[in-house]
């Protein structure tokens, strides 16, 4: 009888430990989700702050043609070709020629 009671107690404690482990894993998962949601909320707050700035409102007004007097609106003609793709640096482009800072300054000053 004592052996049966001991086995029952071991099984009960084993279940409790297994449940504690699964709850700990779920807690970590929920904390990760919560952190991601908090990051999205903070990004939204920053975006709202940006949208409410005068510079952004001026930019949007210019988009709708409500710029300052004397400004000339700029737009591409309908059917204009798209610009050539930009090649990232280091993707097969030749390395720039090595020069000294003095050579760079002289080129900048005298345009040689």
């Amino acid at each position: 009888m004592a052996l049966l009671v001991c086995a029952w107690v071991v099984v009960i404690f084993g279940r409790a430990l297994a449940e504690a482990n699964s709850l700990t894993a779920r807690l970590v998962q929920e904390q990760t989700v919560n952190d991601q949601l908090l990051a999205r909320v903070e990004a939204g707050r920053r975006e709202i702050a940006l949208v409410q700035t005068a510079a952004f409102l001026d930019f949007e007004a210019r988009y709708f043609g409500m710029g300052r007097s004397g400004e000339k609106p700029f737009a591409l003609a309908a059917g204009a070709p798209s610009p050539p793709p930009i090649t990232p640096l280091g993707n097969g482009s030749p390395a720039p020629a090595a020069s000294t800072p003095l050579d760079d300054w002289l080129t900048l000053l005298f345009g040689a």
Side-chain angles (χ1 to χ4, degrees), residues 14-32:
R15 276 190 187 170
L17 287 175
E19 187 176 346
N21 285 340
S22 68
L23 289 176
T24 302
R26 183 167 178 208
L27 174 68
V28 169
Q29 181 183 11
E30 295 298 328
Q31 284 176 338
T32 302

Side-chain angles (χ1 to χ4, degrees), residues 32-54:
T32 302
V33 169
N34 193 22
D35 291 341
Q36 291 171 350
L37 289 174
L38 287 173
R40 288 179 61 192
V41 167
E42 184 57 33
R45 285 185 182 146
R46 287 192 311 266
E47 184 176 354
I48 288 171
L50 172 70
V51 169
Q52 293 175 344
T53 62

Side-chain angles (χ1 to χ4, degrees), residues 82-91 93:
S82 61
I86 297 173
T87 304
L89 294 176
N91 288 353
S93 58

Side-chain angles (χ1 to χ4, degrees), residues 58 61-63 65-74:
D58 288 344
R62 285 187 179 94
Y63 174 75
M66 296 182 266
R68 296 186 179 122
S69 62
E71 284 185 345
K72 295 180 182 177
F74 172 78

